[in-house]
mmCIF file with all atom_site columns, all heavy atoms in Angstrom:
data_model
loop_
_atom_site.group_PDB
_atom_site.id
_atom_site.type_symbol
_atom_site.label_atom_id
_atom_site.label_alt_id
_atom_site.label_comp_id
_atom_site.label_asym_id
_atom_site.label_entity_id
_atom_site.label_seq_id
_atom_site.pdbx_PDB_ins_code
_atom_site.Cartn_x
_atom_site.Cartn_y
_atom_site.Cartn_z
_atom_site.occupancy
_atom_site.B_iso_or_equiv
_atom_site.pdbx_formal_charge
_atom_site.auth_seq_id
_atom_site.auth_comp_id
_atom_site.auth_asym_id
_atom_site.auth_atom_id
_atom_site.pdbx_PDB_model_num
ATOM 1   N N   . ALA W 1 114 ? -34.402 9.729   -51.710 1.00 0.00 ? 137 ALA W N   1
ATOM 2   C CA  . ALA W 1 114 ? -33.954 9.045   -50.498 1.00 0.00 ? 137 ALA W CA  1
ATOM 3   C C   . ALA W 1 114 ? -32.728 9.742   -49.930 1.00 0.00 ? 137 ALA W C   1
ATOM 4   O O   . ALA W 1 114 ? -31.716 9.880   -50.595 1.00 0.00 ? 137 ALA W O   1
ATOM 5   C CB  . ALA W 1 114 ? -33.625 7.594   -50.821 1.00 0.00 ? 137 ALA W CB  1
ATOM 6   N N   . PHE W 1 115 ? -32.856 10.217  -48.722 1.00 0.00 ? 138 PHE W N   1
ATOM 7   C CA  . PHE W 1 115 ? -31.739 10.840  -48.037 1.00 0.00 ? 138 PHE W CA  1
ATOM 8   C C   . PHE W 1 115 ? -31.132 9.815   -47.085 1.00 0.00 ? 138 PHE W C   1
ATOM 9   O O   . PHE W 1 115 ? -31.748 8.810   -46.757 1.00 0.00 ? 138 PHE W O   1
ATOM 10  C CB  . PHE W 1 115 ? -32.211 12.068  -47.254 1.00 0.00 ? 138 PHE W CB  1
ATOM 11  C CG  . PHE W 1 115 ? -32.755 13.141  -48.137 1.00 0.00 ? 138 PHE W CG  1
ATOM 12  C CD1 . PHE W 1 115 ? -34.124 13.349  -48.232 1.00 0.00 ? 138 PHE W CD1 1
ATOM 13  C CD2 . PHE W 1 115 ? -31.909 13.930  -48.891 1.00 0.00 ? 138 PHE W CD2 1
ATOM 14  C CE1 . PHE W 1 115 ? -34.631 14.335  -49.049 1.00 0.00 ? 138 PHE W CE1 1
ATOM 15  C CE2 . PHE W 1 115 ? -32.414 14.927  -49.704 1.00 0.00 ? 138 PHE W CE2 1
ATOM 16  C CZ  . PHE W 1 115 ? -33.774 15.119  -49.786 1.00 0.00 ? 138 PHE W CZ  1
ATOM 17  N N   . GLU W 1 116 ? -29.936 10.087  -46.629 1.00 0.00 ? 139 GLU W N   1
ATOM 18  C CA  . GLU W 1 116 ? -29.267 9.151   -45.730 1.00 0.00 ? 139 GLU W CA  1
ATOM 19  C C   . GLU W 1 116 ? -30.045 8.950   -44.442 1.00 0.00 ? 139 GLU W C   1
ATOM 20  O O   . GLU W 1 116 ? -30.076 7.867   -43.890 1.00 0.00 ? 139 GLU W O   1
ATOM 21  C CB  . GLU W 1 116 ? -27.857 9.670   -45.404 1.00 0.00 ? 139 GLU W CB  1
ATOM 22  C CG  . GLU W 1 116 ? -26.906 9.578   -46.570 1.00 0.00 ? 139 GLU W CG  1
ATOM 23  C CD  . GLU W 1 116 ? -25.530 10.093  -46.201 1.00 0.00 ? 139 GLU W CD  1
ATOM 24  O OE1 . GLU W 1 116 ? -25.211 10.134  -44.998 1.00 0.00 ? 139 GLU W OE1 1
ATOM 25  O OE2 . GLU W 1 116 ? -24.776 10.437  -47.107 1.00 0.00 ? 139 GLU W OE2 1
ATOM 26  N N   . PHE W 1 117 ? -30.715 10.018  -43.965 1.00 0.00 ? 140 PHE W N   1
ATOM 27  C CA  . PHE W 1 117 ? -31.431 9.909   -42.698 1.00 0.00 ? 140 PHE W CA  1
ATOM 28  C C   . PHE W 1 117 ? -32.816 9.290   -42.879 1.00 0.00 ? 140 PHE W C   1
ATOM 29  O O   . PHE W 1 117 ? -33.529 9.097   -41.927 1.00 0.00 ? 140 PHE W O   1
ATOM 30  C CB  . PHE W 1 117 ? -31.554 11.274  -42.021 1.00 0.00 ? 140 PHE W CB  1
ATOM 31  C CG  . PHE W 1 117 ? -32.255 12.306  -42.846 1.00 0.00 ? 140 PHE W CG  1
ATOM 32  C CD1 . PHE W 1 117 ? -33.634 12.383  -42.847 1.00 0.00 ? 140 PHE W CD1 1
ATOM 33  C CD2 . PHE W 1 117 ? -31.540 13.203  -43.615 1.00 0.00 ? 140 PHE W CD2 1
ATOM 34  C CE1 . PHE W 1 117 ? -34.289 13.335  -43.597 1.00 0.00 ? 140 PHE W CE1 1
ATOM 35  C CE2 . PHE W 1 117 ? -32.191 14.158  -44.373 1.00 0.00 ? 140 PHE W CE2 1
ATOM 36  C CZ  . PHE W 1 117 ? -33.563 14.234  -44.374 1.00 0.00 ? 140 PHE W CZ  1
ATOM 37  N N   . ASP W 1 118 ? -33.207 8.983   -44.104 1.00 0.00 ? 141 ASP W N   1
ATOM 38  C CA  . ASP W 1 118 ? -34.534 8.451   -44.378 1.00 0.00 ? 141 ASP W CA  1
ATOM 39  C C   . ASP W 1 118 ? -34.436 7.005   -44.846 1.00 0.00 ? 141 ASP W C   1
ATOM 40  O O   . ASP W 1 118 ? -34.886 6.652   -45.924 1.00 0.00 ? 141 ASP W O   1
ATOM 41  C CB  . ASP W 1 118 ? -35.231 9.323   -45.418 1.00 0.00 ? 141 ASP W CB  1
ATOM 42  C CG  . ASP W 1 118 ? -36.714 9.043   -45.506 1.00 0.00 ? 141 ASP W CG  1
ATOM 43  O OD1 . ASP W 1 118 ? -37.240 8.350   -44.615 1.00 0.00 ? 141 ASP W OD1 1
ATOM 44  O OD2 . ASP W 1 118 ? -37.339 9.503   -46.465 1.00 0.00 ? 141 ASP W OD2 1
ATOM 45  N N   . ALA W 1 119 ? -33.857 6.167   -44.032 1.00 0.00 ? 142 ALA W N   1
ATOM 46  C CA  . ALA W 1 119 ? -33.649 4.767   -44.413 1.00 0.00 ? 142 ALA W CA  1
ATOM 47  C C   . ALA W 1 119 ? -34.954 3.999   -44.510 1.00 0.00 ? 142 ALA W C   1
ATOM 48  O O   . ALA W 1 119 ? -35.056 3.041   -45.281 1.00 0.00 ? 142 ALA W O   1
ATOM 49  C CB  . ALA W 1 119 ? -32.730 4.094   -43.394 1.00 0.00 ? 142 ALA W CB  1
ATOM 50  N N   . GLY W 1 120 ? -35.982 4.388   -43.774 1.00 0.00 ? 143 GLY W N   1
ATOM 51  C CA  . GLY W 1 120 ? -37.271 3.685   -43.800 1.00 0.00 ? 143 GLY W CA  1
ATOM 52  C C   . GLY W 1 120 ? -37.921 3.764   -45.164 1.00 0.00 ? 143 GLY W C   1
ATOM 53  O O   . GLY W 1 120 ? -38.349 2.744   -45.718 1.00 0.00 ? 143 GLY W O   1
ATOM 54  N N   . HIS W 1 121 ? -37.991 4.973   -45.744 1.00 0.00 ? 144 HIS W N   1
ATOM 55  C CA  . HIS W 1 121 ? -38.583 5.125   -47.066 1.00 0.00 ? 144 HIS W CA  1
ATOM 56  C C   . HIS W 1 121 ? -37.743 4.420   -48.127 1.00 0.00 ? 144 HIS W C   1
ATOM 57  O O   . HIS W 1 121 ? -38.265 3.835   -49.061 1.00 0.00 ? 144 HIS W O   1
ATOM 58  C CB  . HIS W 1 121 ? -38.743 6.604   -47.426 1.00 0.00 ? 144 HIS W CB  1
ATOM 59  C CG  . HIS W 1 121 ? -39.939 7.232   -46.801 1.00 0.00 ? 144 HIS W CG  1
ATOM 60  N ND1 . HIS W 1 121 ? -39.881 7.814   -45.562 1.00 0.00 ? 144 HIS W ND1 1
ATOM 61  C CD2 . HIS W 1 121 ? -41.214 7.354   -47.224 1.00 0.00 ? 144 HIS W CD2 1
ATOM 62  C CE1 . HIS W 1 121 ? -41.075 8.289   -45.254 1.00 0.00 ? 144 HIS W CE1 1
ATOM 63  N NE2 . HIS W 1 121 ? -41.904 8.012   -46.249 1.00 0.00 ? 144 HIS W NE2 1
ATOM 64  N N   . GLU W 1 122 ? -36.432 4.495   -47.967 1.00 0.00 ? 145 GLU W N   1
ATOM 65  C CA  . GLU W 1 122 ? -35.542 3.847   -48.934 1.00 0.00 ? 145 GLU W CA  1
ATOM 66  C C   . GLU W 1 122 ? -35.737 2.340   -48.916 1.00 0.00 ? 145 GLU W C   1
ATOM 67  O O   . GLU W 1 122 ? -35.843 1.696   -49.965 1.00 0.00 ? 145 GLU W O   1
ATOM 68  C CB  . GLU W 1 122 ? -34.089 4.203   -48.605 1.00 0.00 ? 145 GLU W CB  1
ATOM 69  C CG  . GLU W 1 122 ? -33.107 3.774   -49.664 1.00 0.00 ? 145 GLU W CG  1
ATOM 70  C CD  . GLU W 1 122 ? -31.698 4.244   -49.344 1.00 0.00 ? 145 GLU W CD  1
ATOM 71  O OE1 . GLU W 1 122 ? -31.483 4.912   -48.318 1.00 0.00 ? 145 GLU W OE1 1
ATOM 72  O OE2 . GLU W 1 122 ? -30.812 3.928   -50.151 1.00 0.00 ? 145 GLU W OE2 1
ATOM 73  N N   . ALA W 1 123 ? -35.850 1.763   -47.720 1.00 0.00 ? 146 ALA W N   1
ATOM 74  C CA  . ALA W 1 123 ? -36.059 0.316   -47.597 1.00 0.00 ? 146 ALA W CA  1
ATOM 75  C C   . ALA W 1 123 ? -37.425 -0.085  -48.139 1.00 0.00 ? 146 ALA W C   1
ATOM 76  O O   . ALA W 1 123 ? -37.553 -1.084  -48.852 1.00 0.00 ? 146 ALA W O   1
ATOM 77  C CB  . ALA W 1 123 ? -35.933 -0.106  -46.137 1.00 0.00 ? 146 ALA W CB  1
ATOM 78  N N   . ALA W 1 124 ? -38.465 0.701   -47.820 1.00 0.00 ? 147 ALA W N   1
ATOM 79  C CA  . ALA W 1 124 ? -39.807 0.387   -48.319 1.00 0.00 ? 147 ALA W CA  1
ATOM 80  C C   . ALA W 1 124 ? -39.844 0.474   -49.836 1.00 0.00 ? 147 ALA W C   1
ATOM 81  O O   . ALA W 1 124 ? -40.437 -0.383  -50.507 1.00 0.00 ? 147 ALA W O   1
ATOM 82  C CB  . ALA W 1 124 ? -40.833 1.338   -47.712 1.00 0.00 ? 147 ALA W CB  1
ATOM 83  N N   . GLY W 1 125 ? -39.203 1.487   -50.392 1.00 0.00 ? 148 GLY W N   1
ATOM 84  C CA  . GLY W 1 125 ? -39.154 1.619   -51.848 1.00 0.00 ? 148 GLY W CA  1
ATOM 85  C C   . GLY W 1 125 ? -38.433 0.461   -52.496 1.00 0.00 ? 148 GLY W C   1
ATOM 86  O O   . GLY W 1 125 ? -38.880 -0.071  -53.519 1.00 0.00 ? 148 GLY W O   1
ATOM 87  N N   . ALA W 1 126 ? -37.315 0.043   -51.915 1.00 0.00 ? 149 ALA W N   1
ATOM 88  C CA  . ALA W 1 126 ? -36.565 -1.094  -52.472 1.00 0.00 ? 149 ALA W CA  1
ATOM 89  C C   . ALA W 1 126 ? -37.384 -2.377  -52.400 1.00 0.00 ? 149 ALA W C   1
ATOM 90  O O   . ALA W 1 126 ? -37.392 -3.178  -53.335 1.00 0.00 ? 149 ALA W O   1
ATOM 91  C CB  . ALA W 1 126 ? -35.252 -1.266  -51.720 1.00 0.00 ? 149 ALA W CB  1
ATOM 92  N N   . LEU W 1 127 ? -38.086 -2.586  -51.288 1.00 0.00 ? 150 LEU W N   1
ATOM 93  C CA  . LEU W 1 127 ? -38.930 -3.777  -51.159 1.00 0.00 ? 150 LEU W CA  1
ATOM 94  C C   . LEU W 1 127 ? -40.059 -3.773  -52.171 1.00 0.00 ? 150 LEU W C   1
ATOM 95  O O   . LEU W 1 127 ? -40.334 -4.778  -52.832 1.00 0.00 ? 150 LEU W O   1
ATOM 96  C CB  . LEU W 1 127 ? -39.530 -3.843  -49.746 1.00 0.00 ? 150 LEU W CB  1
ATOM 97  C CG  . LEU W 1 127 ? -38.672 -4.453  -48.657 1.00 0.00 ? 150 LEU W CG  1
ATOM 98  C CD1 . LEU W 1 127 ? -39.375 -4.331  -47.318 1.00 0.00 ? 150 LEU W CD1 1
ATOM 99  C CD2 . LEU W 1 127 ? -38.357 -5.900  -48.967 1.00 0.00 ? 150 LEU W CD2 1
ATOM 100 N N   . MET W 1 128 ? -40.736 -2.634  -52.294 1.00 0.00 ? 151 MET W N   1
ATOM 101 C CA  . MET W 1 128 ? -41.904 -2.563  -53.157 1.00 0.00 ? 151 MET W CA  1
ATOM 102 C C   . MET W 1 128 ? -41.552 -2.692  -54.632 1.00 0.00 ? 151 MET W C   1
ATOM 103 O O   . MET W 1 128 ? -42.366 -3.145  -55.430 1.00 0.00 ? 151 MET W O   1
ATOM 104 C CB  . MET W 1 128 ? -42.668 -1.265  -52.909 1.00 0.00 ? 151 MET W CB  1
ATOM 105 C CG  . MET W 1 128 ? -43.359 -1.247  -51.560 1.00 0.00 ? 151 MET W CG  1
ATOM 106 S SD  . MET W 1 128 ? -44.053 0.346   -51.147 1.00 0.00 ? 151 MET W SD  1
ATOM 107 C CE  . MET W 1 128 ? -45.399 0.442   -52.310 1.00 0.00 ? 151 MET W CE  1
ATOM 108 N N   . LYS W 1 129 ? -40.340 -2.289  -55.009 1.00 0.00 ? 152 LYS W N   1
ATOM 109 C CA  . LYS W 1 129 ? -39.948 -2.346  -56.416 1.00 0.00 ? 152 LYS W CA  1
ATOM 110 C C   . LYS W 1 129 ? -39.537 -3.746  -56.864 1.00 0.00 ? 152 LYS W C   1
ATOM 111 O O   . LYS W 1 129 ? -39.401 -3.988  -58.054 1.00 0.00 ? 152 LYS W O   1
ATOM 112 C CB  . LYS W 1 129 ? -38.787 -1.385  -56.676 1.00 0.00 ? 152 LYS W CB  1
ATOM 113 C CG  . LYS W 1 129 ? -39.192 0.051   -56.686 1.00 0.00 ? 152 LYS W CG  1
ATOM 114 C CD  . LYS W 1 129 ? -37.974 0.903   -56.983 1.00 0.00 ? 152 LYS W CD  1
ATOM 115 C CE  . LYS W 1 129 ? -38.260 2.339   -56.739 1.00 0.00 ? 152 LYS W CE  1
ATOM 116 N NZ  . LYS W 1 129 ? -37.086 3.173   -56.904 1.00 0.00 ? 152 LYS W NZ  1
ATOM 117 N N   . THR W 1 130 ? -39.334 -4.672  -55.929 1.00 0.00 ? 153 THR W N   1
ATOM 118 C CA  . THR W 1 130 ? -38.864 -5.989  -56.330 1.00 0.00 ? 153 THR W CA  1
ATOM 119 C C   . THR W 1 130 ? -39.897 -6.744  -57.155 1.00 0.00 ? 153 THR W C   1
ATOM 120 O O   . THR W 1 130 ? -39.551 -7.382  -58.129 1.00 0.00 ? 153 THR W O   1
ATOM 121 C CB  . THR W 1 130 ? -38.463 -6.838  -55.110 1.00 0.00 ? 153 THR W CB  1
ATOM 122 O OG1 . THR W 1 130 ? -39.579 -6.943  -54.238 1.00 0.00 ? 153 THR W OG1 1
ATOM 123 C CG2 . THR W 1 130 ? -37.290 -6.224  -54.385 1.00 0.00 ? 153 THR W CG2 1
ATOM 124 N N   . SER W 1 131 ? -41.174 -6.668  -56.775 1.00 0.00 ? 154 SER W N   1
ATOM 125 C CA  . SER W 1 131 ? -42.221 -7.348  -57.531 1.00 0.00 ? 154 SER W CA  1
ATOM 126 C C   . SER W 1 131 ? -43.576 -6.876  -57.054 1.00 0.00 ? 154 SER W C   1
ATOM 127 O O   . SER W 1 131 ? -43.700 -6.244  -56.002 1.00 0.00 ? 154 SER W O   1
ATOM 128 C CB  . SER W 1 131 ? -42.120 -8.867  -57.362 1.00 0.00 ? 154 SER W CB  1
ATOM 129 O OG  . SER W 1 131 ? -42.470 -9.225  -56.033 1.00 0.00 ? 154 SER W OG  1
ATOM 130 N N   . LEU W 1 132 ? -44.589 -7.219  -57.822 1.00 0.00 ? 155 LEU W N   1
ATOM 131 C CA  . LEU W 1 132 ? -45.958 -6.878  -57.429 1.00 0.00 ? 155 LEU W CA  1
ATOM 132 C C   . LEU W 1 132 ? -46.326 -7.610  -56.149 1.00 0.00 ? 155 LEU W C   1
ATOM 133 O O   . LEU W 1 132 ? -46.974 -7.050  -55.266 1.00 0.00 ? 155 LEU W O   1
ATOM 134 C CB  . LEU W 1 132 ? -46.935 -7.239  -58.552 1.00 0.00 ? 155 LEU W CB  1
ATOM 135 C CG  . LEU W 1 132 ? -48.402 -6.971  -58.266 1.00 0.00 ? 155 LEU W CG  1
ATOM 136 C CD1 . LEU W 1 132 ? -48.636 -5.489  -58.009 1.00 0.00 ? 155 LEU W CD1 1
ATOM 137 C CD2 . LEU W 1 132 ? -49.262 -7.460  -59.407 1.00 0.00 ? 155 LEU W CD2 1
ATOM 138 N N   . GLY W 1 133 ? -45.871 -8.856  -56.020 1.00 0.00 ? 156 GLY W N   1
ATOM 139 C CA  . GLY W 1 133 ? -46.148 -9.624  -54.808 1.00 0.00 ? 156 GLY W CA  1
ATOM 140 C C   . GLY W 1 133 ? -45.565 -8.955  -53.569 1.00 0.00 ? 156 GLY W C   1
ATOM 141 O O   . GLY W 1 133 ? -46.192 -8.943  -52.507 1.00 0.00 ? 156 GLY W O   1
ATOM 142 N N   . MET W 1 134 ? -44.377 -8.392  -53.699 1.00 0.00 ? 157 MET W N   1
ATOM 143 C CA  . MET W 1 134 ? -43.756 -7.707  -52.566 1.00 0.00 ? 157 MET W CA  1
ATOM 144 C C   . MET W 1 134 ? -44.516 -6.426  -52.228 1.00 0.00 ? 157 MET W C   1
ATOM 145 O O   . MET W 1 134 ? -44.686 -6.090  -51.056 1.00 0.00 ? 157 MET W O   1
ATOM 146 C CB  . MET W 1 134 ? -42.292 -7.400  -52.866 1.00 0.00 ? 157 MET W CB  1
ATOM 147 C CG  . MET W 1 134 ? -41.540 -6.862  -51.671 1.00 0.00 ? 157 MET W CG  1
ATOM 148 S SD  . MET W 1 134 ? -41.567 -7.948  -50.220 1.00 0.00 ? 157 MET W SD  1
ATOM 149 C CE  . MET W 1 134 ? -40.472 -9.240  -50.739 1.00 0.00 ? 157 MET W CE  1
ATOM 150 N N   . ALA W 1 135 ? -45.005 -5.720  -53.258 1.00 0.00 ? 158 ALA W N   1
ATOM 151 C CA  . ALA W 1 135 ? -45.809 -4.519  -53.008 1.00 0.00 ? 158 ALA W CA  1
ATOM 152 C C   . ALA W 1 135 ? -47.083 -4.883  -52.257 1.00 0.00 ? 158 ALA W C   1
ATOM 153 O O   . ALA W 1 135 ? -47.490 -4.185  -51.327 1.00 0.00 ? 158 ALA W O   1
ATOM 154 C CB  . ALA W 1 135 ? -46.153 -3.828  -54.333 1.00 0.00 ? 158 ALA W CB  1
ATOM 155 N N   . VAL W 1 136 ? -47.698 -6.002  -52.627 1.00 0.00 ? 159 VAL W N   1
ATOM 156 C CA  . VAL W 1 136 ? -48.899 -6.472  -51.922 1.00 0.00 ? 159 VAL W CA  1
ATOM 157 C C   . VAL W 1 136 ? -48.544 -6.854  -50.493 1.00 0.00 ? 159 VAL W C   1
ATOM 158 O O   . VAL W 1 136 ? -49.279 -6.541  -49.545 1.00 0.00 ? 159 VAL W O   1
ATOM 159 C CB  . VAL W 1 136 ? -49.540 -7.652  -52.679 1.00 0.00 ? 159 VAL W CB  1
ATOM 160 C CG1 . VAL W 1 136 ? -50.636 -8.315  -51.856 1.00 0.00 ? 159 VAL W CG1 1
ATOM 161 C CG2 . VAL W 1 136 ? -50.094 -7.183  -54.016 1.00 0.00 ? 159 VAL W CG2 1
ATOM 162 N N   . LEU W 1 137 ? -47.397 -7.512  -50.302 1.00 0.00 ? 160 LEU W N   1
ATOM 163 C CA  . LEU W 1 137 ? -46.966 -7.896  -48.956 1.00 0.00 ? 160 LEU W CA  1
ATOM 164 C C   . LEU W 1 137 ? -46.716 -6.666  -48.076 1.00 0.00 ? 160 LEU W C   1
ATOM 165 O O   . LEU W 1 137 ? -47.121 -6.648  -46.910 1.00 0.00 ? 160 LEU W O   1
ATOM 166 C CB  . LEU W 1 137 ? -45.699 -8.760  -49.024 1.00 0.00 ? 160 LEU W CB  1
ATOM 167 C CG  . LEU W 1 137 ? -45.156 -9.265  -47.692 1.00 0.00 ? 160 LEU W CG  1
ATOM 168 C CD1 . LEU W 1 137 ? -46.191 -10.168 -47.017 1.00 0.00 ? 160 LEU W CD1 1
ATOM 169 C CD2 . LEU W 1 137 ? -43.850 -10.004 -47.898 1.00 0.00 ? 160 LEU W CD2 1
ATOM 170 N N   . VAL W 1 138 ? -46.086 -5.624  -48.632 1.00 0.00 ? 161 VAL W N   1
ATOM 171 C CA  . VAL W 1 138 ? -45.869 -4.390  -47.881 1.00 0.00 ? 161 VAL W CA  1
ATOM 172 C C   . VAL W 1 138 ? -47.212 -3.790  -47.476 1.00 0.00 ? 161 VAL W C   1
ATOM 173 O O   . VAL W 1 138 ? -47.392 -3.339  -46.346 1.00 0.00 ? 161 VAL W O   1
ATOM 174 C CB  . VAL W 1 138 ? -45.027 -3.381  -48.709 1.00 0.00 ? 161 VAL W CB  1
ATOM 175 C CG1 . VAL W 1 138 ? -45.052 -1.995  -48.092 1.00 0.00 ? 161 VAL W CG1 1
ATOM 176 C CG2 . VAL W 1 138 ? -43.592 -3.877  -48.831 1.00 0.00 ? 161 VAL W CG2 1
ATOM 177 N N   . SER W 1 139 ? -48.179 -3.805  -48.398 1.00 0.00 ? 162 SER W N   1
ATOM 178 C CA  . SER W 1 139 ? -49.512 -3.282  -48.081 1.00 0.00 ? 162 SER W CA  1
ATOM 179 C C   . SER W 1 139 ? -50.164 -4.095  -46.977 1.00 0.00 ? 162 SER W C   1
ATOM 180 O O   . SER W 1 139 ? -50.792 -3.538  -46.069 1.00 0.00 ? 162 SER W O   1
ATOM 181 C CB  . SER W 1 139 ? -50.397 -3.313  -49.327 1.00 0.00 ? 162 SER W CB  1
ATOM 182 O OG  . SER W 1 139 ? -49.869 -2.483  -50.319 1.00 0.00 ? 162 SER W OG  1
ATOM 183 N N   . LEU W 1 140 ? -50.033 -5.424  -47.029 1.00 0.00 ? 163 LEU W N   1
ATOM 184 C CA  . LEU W 1 140 ? -50.629 -6.285  -46.006 1.00 0.00 ? 163 LEU W CA  1
ATOM 185 C C   . LEU W 1 140 ? -49.994 -6.048  -44.635 1.00 0.00 ? 163 LEU W C   1
ATOM 186 O O   . LEU W 1 140 ? -50.695 -6.009  -43.622 1.00 0.00 ? 163 LEU W O   1
ATOM 187 C CB  . LEU W 1 140 ? -50.503 -7.753  -46.408 1.00 0.00 ? 163 LEU W CB  1
ATOM 188 C CG  . LEU W 1 140 ? -51.394 -8.202  -47.564 1.00 0.00 ? 163 LEU W CG  1
ATOM 189 C CD1 . LEU W 1 140 ? -51.042 -9.625  -47.985 1.00 0.00 ? 163 LEU W CD1 1
ATOM 190 C CD2 . LEU W 1 140 ? -52.859 -8.095  -47.201 1.00 0.00 ? 163 LEU W CD2 1
ATOM 191 N N   . VAL W 1 141 ? -48.675 -5.905  -44.611 1.00 0.00 ? 164 VAL W N   1
ATOM 192 C CA  . VAL W 1 141 ? -47.992 -5.636  -43.338 1.00 0.00 ? 164 VAL W CA  1
ATOM 193 C C   . VAL W 1 141 ? -48.432 -4.278  -42.789 1.00 0.00 ? 164 VAL W C   1
ATOM 194 O O   . VAL W 1 141 ? -48.681 -4.137  -41.584 1.00 0.00 ? 164 VAL W O   1
ATOM 195 C CB  . VAL W 1 141 ? -46.456 -5.698  -43.520 1.00 0.00 ? 164 VAL W CB  1
ATOM 196 C CG1 . VAL W 1 141 ? -45.727 -5.161  -42.304 1.00 0.00 ? 164 VAL W CG1 1
ATOM 197 C CG2 . VAL W 1 141 ? -46.029 -7.130  -43.809 1.00 0.00 ? 164 VAL W CG2 1
ATOM 198 N N   . HIS W 1 142 ? -48.570 -3.284  -43.669 1.00 0.00 ? 165 HIS W N   1
ATOM 199 C CA  . HIS W 1 142 ? -49.041 -1.955  -43.257 1.00 0.00 ? 165 HIS W CA  1
ATOM 200 C C   . HIS W 1 142 ? -50.430 -2.052  -42.628 1.00 0.00 ? 165 HIS W C   1
ATOM 201 O O   . HIS W 1 142 ? -50.670 -1.519  -41.547 1.00 0.00 ? 165 HIS W O   1
ATOM 202 C CB  . HIS W 1 142 ? -49.064 -1.023  -44.473 1.00 0.00 ? 165 HIS W CB  1
ATOM 203 C CG  . HIS W 1 142 ? -49.774 0.268   -44.239 1.00 0.00 ? 165 HIS W CG  1
ATOM 204 N ND1 . HIS W 1 142 ? -49.226 1.298   -43.522 1.00 0.00 ? 165 HIS W ND1 1
ATOM 205 C CD2 . HIS W 1 142 ? -50.998 0.690   -44.630 1.00 0.00 ? 165 HIS W CD2 1
ATOM 206 C CE1 . HIS W 1 142 ? -50.083 2.297   -43.480 1.00 0.00 ? 165 HIS W CE1 1
ATOM 207 N NE2 . HIS W 1 142 ? -51.173 1.956   -44.142 1.00 0.00 ? 165 HIS W NE2 1
#
Side-chain angles (χ1 to χ4, degrees):
F138 296 104
E139 289 180 21
F140 58 84
D141 194 12
H144 280 89
E145 189 176 359
L150 276 175
M151 290 171 70
K152 286 181 191 175
T153 57
S154 69
L155 179 61
M157 188 57 73
V159 170
L160 182 62
V161 167
S162 297
L163 289 172
V164 169
H165 169 76

